[in-house]
């Protein structure tokens, strides 16, 4: 398969990357594209987390409005639940 780069600036950048890394042009392209794909995947995961946060925000807001119990949840409380306190 052949990739023909007509843009001189892009060609120069690929050659410079290959030279700095001490690899061939094909390997430089492979590494650069691989790194870009990993970065894009990370950005996609961050966006997905943001969308999830937006979707669950109404639920979290609703839960925040519920009354809270005034009972302390210390060791004695849990022992009492398990009938271990007496």
């Amino acid at each position: 398969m052949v990739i023909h780069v007509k843009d001189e600036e892009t060609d120069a950048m690929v050659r410079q990357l290959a030279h700095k890394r001490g690899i061939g042009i094909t390997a430089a392209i492979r590494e650069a594209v691989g790194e870009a794909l990993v970065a894009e995947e990370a950005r996609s995961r961050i966006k997905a987390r943001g969308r999830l946060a937006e979707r669950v925000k109404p639920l979290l807001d609703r839960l925040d409005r519920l009354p809270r119990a005034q009972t302390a949840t210390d060791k004695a409380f849990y022992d009492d639940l398990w009938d271990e306190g007496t």
Side-chain angles (χ1 to χ4, degrees):
M1 219 179 261
V2 175
I3 296 177
H4 181 70
V5 178
K6 293 182 179 181
D7 180 57
E8 289 181 17
E9 183 181 356
T10 302
D11 180 69
M13 287 172 26
V14 170
R15 290 177 186 280
Q16 182 180 11
L17 178 63
H19 177 74
K20 287 186 175 196
R21 292 190 177 177
I23 57 178
I25 293 172
T26 301
I29 293 170
R30 183 184 313 112
E31 287 182 10
V33 171
E35 291 167 5
L37 289 172
V38 168
E40 188 61 35
E41 181 62 32
R43 279 191 291 274
S44 294
R45 283 193 303 270
I46 290 169
K47 285 181 185 177
R49 272 190 231 128
R51 288 191 298 268
L52 177 61
E54 290 172 15
R55 290 190 349 240
V56 299
K57 186 174 181 347
L59 175 62
L60 295 175
D61 291 343
R62 184 175 170 194
L63 290 172
D64 283 340
R65 288 191 301 269
L66 293 174
R68 300 199 190 276
Q70 299 301 318
T71 306
T73 53
D74 55 4
K75 183 175 181 337
F77 172 80
Y78 289 108
D79 286 346
D80 186 52
L81 286 177
W82 291 94
D83 291 327
E84 294 178 359
T86 56

